Amino acid sequence: MRKLLAIAALLAAVYHLAPVATTASSHREAPLISNDPAADNTDLYAFVSPDRPGFVTFIANWAPFSAPDGGPTFYPFATDASYLINVDNNGDGDADARFRFQFSTIDKRGGSTFLYNNGPVTSLDDENLLFRQTYSIESSFNGAPFKTRVTGVPVAPSRVGPASMPDYGTLRQQATVTLPGGWRTFAGQADDPFFLDLRVFDLLYGGDLSEVGNDTLAGFNVNTIALEVPFKDVALNEDGAKNPVIGIWTTTERTKAQGNGTVQVSRLGNPLVNEVVVPAGLKDGFNASKPSQDSKNPQLVQRVTNPEVPALLEAIYKLPAPATPRDDLVAIFLTGLPDLNNLAANADINKAKIIPSEMLRLNLSTPQAAVPNRLGLLGGDNQGFPNGRRLTDDVVDIGLQALAGAARTGKLVDALAKGDAVDANDTTFSNTFPYVALPNTTRAAGAPGGPAASPSTAPASLSSMDTSDTVAVLSASAAGIMGLLLFAGWWRRRRSYS
């Protein structure tokens, strides 16, 4: 028994050596939602589809810090929650177009196995896939009741590994569905597209910008919902030419404990708002609120007009903070930028009803850049963040520059030119819907920031294991064999005592 307890203690010690989740973008940003990862919005992206004129793509992510080997239950969407993409096109801070995703589970494991799959999975309806999910999409326009658009759409499963899913690209393709009206939809696991060095929270990169250059999220996955719809389905009066500006945010609603109705538990518009703009005491309240309530919250408005980060930069790096109130940040976070993505640009809008509200704003008519700039608007690329958000936009560097005054002067702050030194995702994105990279099967903590040498999103067969896959499989096998030997030894000793 002493030896068994010693083994248990050793295993517990090894377990506690695992990486601890911290905060990134909207990853675990508020006390309550940090305990509910399946409902935790991590990031929102909105951009004009690069390969499909007249269509806009929304990508929303949940379940932060999903480690690739986090089995055997992995990371399902919650079946007692609703995931929503919300669009405001008249500036009143309320949703004029809502897209609601609800998930169901088919679990065939029962009392027979702990495995996610009991053999290689080559299709979404493969009998070897014991745990699977489907979802429905409902839509509501201009306050009308929700109507069902589709049911039973298959979810791409969590990527267990190369032995279980030798051609995951095919599973991704099967989970990408085209609907009537030209909609395209996808739900499933993906590589976390957000890239940054999280040591920003160690007093802004170590106090001397020495703690930069490692992509904290390299190798982690998220649960992704991607939806592509024509401009007319989100534009005011269905006219994307006259009314091209929209505001977008995502929410998660949980079924109330009493089973009567739902309660909003997570909200996300612009990146980093609930992390570095909203103070700790307001974070849970922000997650439960609506954009239409923002202008009535003086504490929230004050945190935008007189933000904390510039004061920290001045105290730590002696970088003078821009004068307050910060009208430039109000334009980015609460109103939109004049002549770019302010909803007042919509020809049919009633300007008297426009109110300040936090949401990601996008002008659907902005011409696409031939060569996108990672710094978006600050880099001279009008289609980049904060005019929407593309997967390749470096929102940490943009955010630091904007907070330090670049949004006011139009010039980059030289002292912060390096930013967090993570300028691109560790895995290359796809150039076709749903654009996100395939989920990871292994991860190396703190991988250097930058693009991968080759794309992982190509739909080609993944049946050939690379060296890292082989090492991972052999390591897992060795661990399993060691566990069986330990158990067998303990069992023999136990029998000898009986």
Side-chain angles (χ1 to χ4, degrees), residues 308-326:
E308 180 180 5
V309 171
L312 291 173
L313 290 172
E314 183 172 38
I316 297 171
Y317 293 110
K318 311 306 178 185
L319 188 66
T324 59
R326 296 291 303 274

Side-chain angles (χ1 to χ4, degrees), residues 115-161:
L115 292 169
Y116 193 85
N117 55 288
N118 60 1
V121 176
T122 59
S123 67
L124 295 183
D125 58 0
D126 195 314
E127 62 181 10
N128 290 334
L129 183 59
L130 302 178
F131 184 96
R132 65 189 72 194
Q133 290 192 298
T134 62
Y135 64 98
S136 64
I137 304 178
E138 300 168 301
S139 60
S140 169
F141 299 102
N142 302 314
F146 279 96
K147 292 184 178 180
T148 301
R149 300 288 301 223
V150 66
T151 61
V153 184
V155 175
S158 293
R159 192 177 185 184
V160 177

Side-chain angles (χ1 to χ4, degrees), residues 24 52 93 95 122 148 150 158 161 163 227 290 345 359 383 393 395 397:
R52 203 176 185 198
T122 59
T148 301
V150 66
S158 293
L227 178 67
K290 299 178 180 180
M359 59 181 75
Q383 203 187 44
D393 287 342
V395 296
D397 282 9

Side-chain angles (χ1 to χ4, degrees), residues 41-195:
N41 298 94
T42 65
D43 285 281
L44 168 64
Y45 303 84
F47 50 88
V48 174
S49 302
D51 58 339
R52 203 176 185 198
F55 282 77
V56 58
T57 293
F58 307 118
I59 296 175
N61 295 327
W62 283 265
F65 293 100
S66 297
D69 49 0
T73 53
F74 292 96
Y75 307 99
F77 288 92
T79 57
D80 57 349
S82 297
Y83 301 85
L84 295 107
I85 298 171
N86 309 280
V87 179
D88 174 23
N89 56 35
N90 63 13
D92 63 359
D94 289 321
D96 302 299
R98 306 192 80 195
F99 306 95
R100 184 165 67 188
F101 296 74
Q102 294 178 306
F103 292 81
S104 301
T105 294
I106 303 169
D107 191 346
K108 297 183 178 180
R109 293 173 297 183
S112 61
T113 182
F114 66 90
L115 292 169
Y116 193 85
N117 55 288
N118 60 1
V121 176
T122 59
S123 67
L124 295 183
D125 58 0
D126 195 314
E127 62 181 10
N128 290 334
L129 183 59
L130 302 178
F131 184 96
R132 65 189 72 194
Q133 290 192 298
T134 62
Y135 64 98
S136 64
I137 304 178
E138 300 168 301
S139 60
S140 169
F141 299 102
N142 302 314
F146 279 96
K147 292 184 178 180
T148 301
R149 300 288 301 223
V150 66
T151 61
V153 184
V155 175
S158 293
R159 192 177 185 184
V160 177
S164 292
M165 298 171 181
D167 186 359
Y168 195 86
T170 293
L171 302 182
R172 160 71 65 83
Q173 287 181 317
Q174 293 174 355
T176 303
V177 178
T178 301
L179 304 176
W183 291 18
R184 288 196 290 194
T185 181
F186 167 82
Q189 197 176 54
D191 165 72
D192 192 334
F194 190 51
F195 51 91

Side-chain angles (χ1 to χ4, degrees), residues 336-420:
L337 297 164
D339 302 320
L340 183 60
N341 62 356
N342 189 306
L343 280 152
N346 290 343
D348 295 334
I349 206 164
N350 183 348
K351 295 182 180 180
K353 293 187 176 181
I354 298 177
I355 62 173
S357 51
E358 196 286 306
M359 59 181 75
L360 182 65
R361 289 171 171 83
L362 171 65
N363 188 325
L364 301 171
S365 66
T366 305
Q368 296 193 42
V371 180
N373 190 300
R374 70 178 181 89
L375 294 180
L377 188 60
L378 289 180
D381 182 355
N382 286 349
Q383 203 187 44
F385 181 76
N387 184 21
R389 181 185 178 187
R390 301 165 300 193
L391 293 170
T392 55
D393 287 342
D394 192 346
V395 296
V396 170
D397 282 9
I398 296 171
L400 282 174
Q401 286 284 342
L403 288 165
R408 174 173 287 176
T409 65
K411 298 180 180 179
L412 296 180
V413 179
D414 291 338
L416 298 175
K418 188 178 180 181
D420 66 348

Side-chain angles (χ1 to χ4, degrees), residues 263-267 283-290 293:
V263 60
Q264 181 180 305
V265 297
S266 187
R267 167 188 165 189
K283 291 182 182 294
D284 289 332
F286 181 84
N287 268 336
S289 67
K290 299 178 180 180
Q293 299 170 315

Side-chain angles (χ1 to χ4, degrees), residues 130-289:
L130 302 178
F131 184 96
R132 65 189 72 194
Q133 290 192 298
T134 62
Y135 64 98
S136 64
I137 304 178
E138 300 168 301
S139 60
S140 169
F141 299 102
N142 302 314
F146 279 96
K147 292 184 178 180
T148 301
R149 300 288 301 223
V150 66
T151 61
V153 184
V155 175
S158 293
R159 192 177 185 184
V160 177
S164 292
M165 298 171 181
D167 186 359
Y168 195 86
T170 293
L171 302 182
R172 160 71 65 83
Q173 287 181 317
Q174 293 174 355
T176 303
V177 178
T178 301
L179 304 176
W183 291 18
R184 288 196 290 194
T185 181
F186 167 82
Q189 197 176 54
D191 165 72
D192 192 334
F194 190 51
F195 51 91
L196 83 167
D197 193 321
L198 263 182
R199 290 175 291 179
V200 62
F201 298 109
D202 185 16
L203 291 182
L204 299 180
Y205 299 115
D208 57 0
L209 290 178
S210 63
E211 297 179 354
V212 295
N214 289 332
D215 185 354
T216 307
L217 294 176
F220 280 116
N221 299 321
V222 288
N223 285 346
T224 291
I225 291 175
L227 178 67
E228 184 184 57
V229 300
F231 290 174
K232 70 177 184 64
D233 286 341
V234 292
L236 178 63
N237 295 337
E238 300 185 359
D239 192 337
K242 290 179 62 180
N243 306 300
V245 180
I246 57 175
I248 314 101
W249 70 100
T250 55
T251 51
T252 315
E253 296 178 356
R254 278 282 191 189
T255 302
K256 291 182 179 179
Q258 298 83 359
N260 183 21
T262 61
V263 60
Q264 181 180 305
V265 297
S266 187
R267 167 188 165 189
L268 180 67
N270 284 287
L272 303 170
V273 168
N274 206 10
E275 296 69 33
V276 300
V277 177
V278 179
L282 297 180
K283 291 182 182 294
D284 289 332
F286 181 84
N287 268 336
S289 67

Side-chain angles (χ1 to χ4, degrees), residues 159 162-163 165-167 460-470:
R159 192 177 185 184
M165 298 171 181
D167 186 359
S461 172
L462 301 174
S463 56
S464 299
M465 290 188 191
D466 62 19
T467 303
S468 61
D469 291 331
T470 305

